[in-house]
Amino acid sequence: MTVPMESPVSYANVGRARWWRRGFFASQTGYVTLALLILVLVMHFASPYFLTEGNIQNVAKNFSFIAIATLGATFVIITGGIDLSVGSMMCFAAMIMSMVMTALSTPGEPGASWFVHLAADGKTVVANVPGLILAVSVLCGLGTALIVGLINGFCVAVLGLSPFVTTLGMLSIVRGLAYVASNGRGSFPGGPDADILYALTSGDLYGLPAPFIYLVILALLMAVVLHHTSFGRHVFAIGGNEKAAEQTGVEVVKVKIAVYVICALAAGLQGIIICGWLGSAPANMATSYELNVIAAAVIGGANLAGGIGGPLGAIVGCVLLEVIRNGLVLAQVNSYWQQTLVGVIIILAVLVDRLRSRLA
Amino acid sequence: MAVAAVAGQPDESPDPRPVLELRGIGKEFGAIRALHGVDLEIFPGEVVGLMGDNGAGKSTLVKIVAGNFAPSHGEMRFAGEAVRFNRPVDARAVGIEVVYQDLALADNLTAAANVFLGRELKRKFGPFSLLDHKAMAARSLELFGELRSETLPHNLVRQMSGGQRQAVAIARTRLSNARLVMMDEPTAAISVRQVEQVLGLIHRLKEQGIAVMLISHRMPDVFAVADRVVVMRRGEKRADKAIGDTSPEEVTALITGAKEAA
Ligand SMILES: Nc1ncnc2c1ncn2[C@@H]1O[C@H](COP(=O)(O)OP(=O)(O)O)[C@@H](O)[C@H]1O
Ligand SMILES: [Mg+2]
């Protein structure tokens, strides 16, 4: 028996797909973006107020309030996991940040002597550089998120628990801790650095809301990490075929722990930003936001089965949800319809994707 | 690509030492004796067909050599040195590559990304090292060319035929200076044309002095490419014959047990 040895190499059956049939244009993210653009046009004609500077700023600020957490959750979703604890995490990180800030700004509290002292006239005076209290409090908030992320990652990657169950438990644990820590009352960031926090979270730069600027920076960073580092490559590989990743020497456990940590940190940062805008960290803050976050990621094209997703999709999903909410408000539709509509859109987005892959 | 000279062995040696030597390899899973007293040698550039019925112990043998688990008995020598692998990475480090039955490909990544999965090429940008997409695509294209496969580096594995997937999995083994490539059932689930492609790929490996262990149920494939056929039955090696000294009929008899040993 012989084997054909010198059959010429020809690429007859594997020509490169046309540009509109591959990459962004053939992805769910692509046509959801298209749907978003159409929606914006429709809204513009329906309401002259929609594309005014004030309303655009409003929309940009509002979607930024869930989009940073959505970026983090997208990492987890790409590996085929899920994180239901992001809403609770937002609240808990914000609360820790706020409580630490208040404590460090109150003379007499443990550790506060490093940061403030009482002047002769009874006023509290900053002992150090302005902003130091804020920096320490934010680090404490993010440190809390880091620990929660590590626990989530450990349970999923090392103990092999299901991500759904682990993070469902964590949703409850972290929310409970937030109630315990503040005795159910929530917390208000106080002290000399509170104004810096407000400026950094609800201020703007050249008319761009601060949260939006953070979002853009983080999204660009995420794009680089996902597509141009081996860590990002491994995140996709684990979502595509975890066993294969393992067999080819990818450090699956480390990567999985890392994505849960990234997700928790993003949620923590998001919570701190929301807290700065609200001026407080109520114990019920961001309740059920995990659903908005996951919905936005899925609408934007992240696949819950793993292997697909990215920062653009995450943002487009968040924008779409916010534009719809905004539109319903402008159209004076009963705001209770919003939730119903969001559900319909989630199913539609996934349905269109299914139809498209059937036709392709 | 040059095959690294085996330590202490003159390059011009007409009868080189085996790359892989197994002596009395045995493996028990609890009460199940999956392998018993297996001796085996494979020489550079040799293709050995490993055949046997389901449960004969072929995959267990491959997994022991690949470092998936340690043998319960016996010793293993690779390139003349006694080796003991704790993890697949250890086996890969000395030059043993495996093409797993399910190919271990991530469907959502491109051919090039899969070839380099776990050993990506990177470029330094200050303190950061970023993926070197161009270099990986170029090297993959080169490897696919060497394997005479119609596979393009930027195509998604999801959209590939069985033969192309096989080429990606085999190209992966060519990244390092592999000296032994083991393939578990590479032709089980692909079309006739693709089978020919895979057999062609095995020939390329052989030409480059790489030892190949081919596990297959398909008699024609083994007789087309193998130099030697090893038959396993109930965890034991029942035959080890040059292809020219045996026939499909004899091998079939050995596999089914109609003939005890040869
Ligand atoms: N991980 C394992 N645990 C227990 N028994 C196993 C395991 N792997 C293989 N076996 C047993 O070892 C024997 C040989 O299996 P295997 O090597 O997979 O055979 P083959 O690949 O030739 O079909 C079978 O009886 C199988 O049930
Ligand atoms: Mg098997």
Side-chain angles (χ1 to χ4, degrees):
Chain A
M1 256 170 271
T2 57
V3 177
M5 299 274 290
E6 298 304 328
S7 51
V9 190
S10 66
Y11 297 99
N13 59 341
V14 289
R16 189 157 191 188
R18 306 294 291 272
W19 60 267
W20 46 270
R21 280 181 166 270
R22 67 180 145 86
F24 177 76
F25 298 96
S27 70
Q28 184 178 327
T29 307
Y31 61 75
V32 171
T33 308
L34 186 69
L36 175 64
L37 292 178
I38 293 172
L39 185 64
V40 166
L41 270 183
V42 170
M43 300 281 292
H44 173 57
F45 287 113
S47 162
Y49 179 69
F50 180 70
L51 282 185
T52 58
E53 196 182 330
N55 195 50
I56 291 176
Q57 273 185 348
N58 197 23
V59 168
K61 194 179 66 200
N62 283 342
F63 76 72
S64 304
F65 281 153
I66 64 159
I68 293 175
T70 308
L71 293 182
T74 299
F75 272 99
V76 171
I77 292 174
I78 296 174
T79 64
I82 192 136
D83 190 345
L84 298 173
S85 65
V86 289
S88 304
M89 193 62 250
M90 287 184 208
C91 172
F92 194 44
M95 182 168 290
I96 295 290
M97 186 276 305
S98 161
M99 291 175 74
V100 169
M101 189 163 171
T102 307
L104 292 184
S105 308
T106 312
E109 290 282 336
S113 62
W114 292 54
F115 298 97
V116 287
H117 56 79
L118 280 180
D121 60 356
K123 283 193 177 163
T124 306
V125 180
V126 180
N128 277 306
V129 213
L132 190 63
I133 296 179
L134 176 66
V136 171
S137 341
V138 167
L139 284 182
C140 287
L142 293 181
T144 313
L146 177 84
I147 293 168
V148 172
L150 281 174
I151 297 173
N152 277 340
F154 182 82
C155 290
V156 171
V158 180
L159 302 183
L161 303 185
S162 110
F164 189 93
V165 175
T166 302
T167 60
L168 183 63
M170 197 54 82
L171 175 156
S172 195
I173 293 172
V174 172
R175 178 68 65 182
L177 288 176
Y179 274 89
V180 170
S182 71
N183 222 340
R185 286 192 301 269
S187 164
F188 299 84
D193 276 3
D195 288 334
I196 307 180
L197 173 68
Y198 299 148
L200 287 176
T201 51
S202 22
D204 50 55
L205 190 69
Y206 305 119
L208 296 173
F212 180 73
I213 298 174
Y214 304 143
L215 171 64
V216 170
I217 294 170
L218 291 174
L220 291 175
L221 187 66
M222 176 172 173
V224 171
V225 167
L226 277 183
H227 298 293
H228 301 286
T229 68
S230 38
F231 171 76
R233 184 62 49 92
H234 297 168
V235 167
F236 279 107
I238 290 173
N241 186 345
E242 185 170 336
K243 197 170 140 229
E246 183 111 47
Q247 281 170 339
T248 48
V250 171
E251 296 188 282
V252 173
V253 170
K254 277 193 198 166
V255 174
K256 278 177 130 185
I257 292 178
V259 295
Y260 285 92
V261 167
I262 291 172
C263 181
L265 285 175
L269 179 65
Q270 185 81 81
I272 290 168
I273 292 172
I274 294 177
C275 167
W277 181 73
L278 289 174
S280 72
N284 67 351
M285 177 183 138
T287 301
S288 86
Y289 271 31
E290 59 278 349
L291 297 183
N292 295 342
V293 163
I294 294 166
V298 169
I299 289 171
N303 188 335
L304 287 179
I308 302 174
L312 184 63
I315 293 177
V316 167
C318 293
V319 176
L320 190 71
L321 287 186
E322 179 54 27
V323 165
I324 287 167
R325 201 191 65 85
N326 185 267
L328 293 178
V329 171
L330 290 185
Q332 294 176 333
V333 175
N334 183 337
S335 64
Y336 296 131
W337 277 107
Q338 186 199 338
Q339 196 147 4
T340 309
L341 201 58
V342 167
V344 171
I345 289 168
I346 294 176
I347 296 177
L348 266 184
V350 178
L351 186 71
V352 174
D353 188 47
R354 172 53 59 91
L355 288 179
R356 188 187 57 82
S357 34
R358 283 267 176 79
L359 294 178
Chain B
M1 195 173 299
V3 175
V6 174
Q9 174 216 321
D11 275 338
E12 65 277 13
S13 162
D15 178 20
R17 293 219 307 246
V19 275
L20 179 74
E21 279 178 87
L22 303 177
R23 290 276 165 266
I25 293 290
K27 177 75 187 174
E28 278 107 42
F29 294 104
I32 301 172
R33 196 171 75 176
L35 284 179
H36 178 69
V38 175
D39 297 337
L40 187 65
E41 291 180 342
I42 303 182
F43 292 87
E46 190 183 31
V47 179
V48 173
L50 185 59
M51 303 198 74
D53 214 345
N54 280 331
K58 308 179 297 288
S59 293
T60 305
L61 191 65
V62 168
K63 285 178 182 164
I64 286 174
V65 177
N68 291 71
F69 37 66
S72 314
H73 314 280
E75 68 169 52
M76 226 179 348
R77 300 176 78 77
F78 192 77
E81 313 238 347
V83 286
R84 210 175 165 80
F85 307 130
N86 296 313
R87 296 171 307 155
V89 187
D90 301 340
R92 202 201 241 179
V94 301
I96 298 176
E97 293 278 344
V98 187
V99 180
Y100 291 95
Q101 192 157 1
D102 58 9
L103 300 183
L105 298 177
D107 265 11
N108 57 331
L109 297 180
T110 62
N114 268 286
V115 168
F116 282 91
L117 191 56
R119 9 181 191 188
E120 291 81 9
L121 301 181
K122 282 169 274 191
R123 285 170 65 189
K124 283 259 171 215
F125 288 90
F128 306 105
S129 56
L130 301 184
L131 296 179
D132 192 342
H133 298 285
K134 265 194 184 162
M136 288 193 278
R139 183 81 184 103
S140 307
L141 189 62
E142 216 173 280
L143 289 174
F144 297 145
E146 267 176 40
L147 298 171
R148 305 209 145 266
S149 166
E150 306 169 341
T151 307
L152 295 176
H154 53 250
N155 278 7
L156 285 180
V157 167
R158 181 183 297 123
Q159 295 155 351
M160 290 183 178
S161 69
Q164 290 174 331
R165 288 160 166 265
Q166 200 76 42
V168 173
I170 295 175
R172 190 184 265 167
T173 68
R174 307 292 306 116
L175 278 185
S176 55
N177 284 329
R179 291 195 254 172
L180 169 64
V181 173
M182 298 186 291
M183 301 187 188
D184 201 346
E185 302 277 359
T187 52
I190 54 181
S191 73
V192 174
R193 190 178 107 81
Q194 290 163 352
V195 167
E196 287 187 351
Q197 270 185 23
V198 171
L199 299 184
L201 298 179
I202 293 173
H203 262 281
R204 311 275 151 199
L205 295 178
K206 178 182 166 66
E207 280 165 12
Q208 301 183 36
I210 296 160
V212 178
M213 184 139 102
L214 170 67
I215 295 164
S216 181
H217 270 105
R218 291 171 41 97
M219 201 67 67
D221 300 347
V222 172
F223 276 80
V225 289
D227 301 303
R228 194 145 59 83
V229 57
V230 169
V231 180
M232 308 269 305
R233 184 167 165 75
R234 302 214 173 115
E236 289 173 21
K237 189 172 97 171
R238 294 295 169 88
D240 187 340
K241 293 186 114 173
I243 281 291
D245 300 341
T246 186
S247 63
E249 292 71 27
E250 186 186 29
V251 172
T252 307
L254 286 161
I255 291 173
T256 57
K259 184 170 176 182
E260 265 305 312

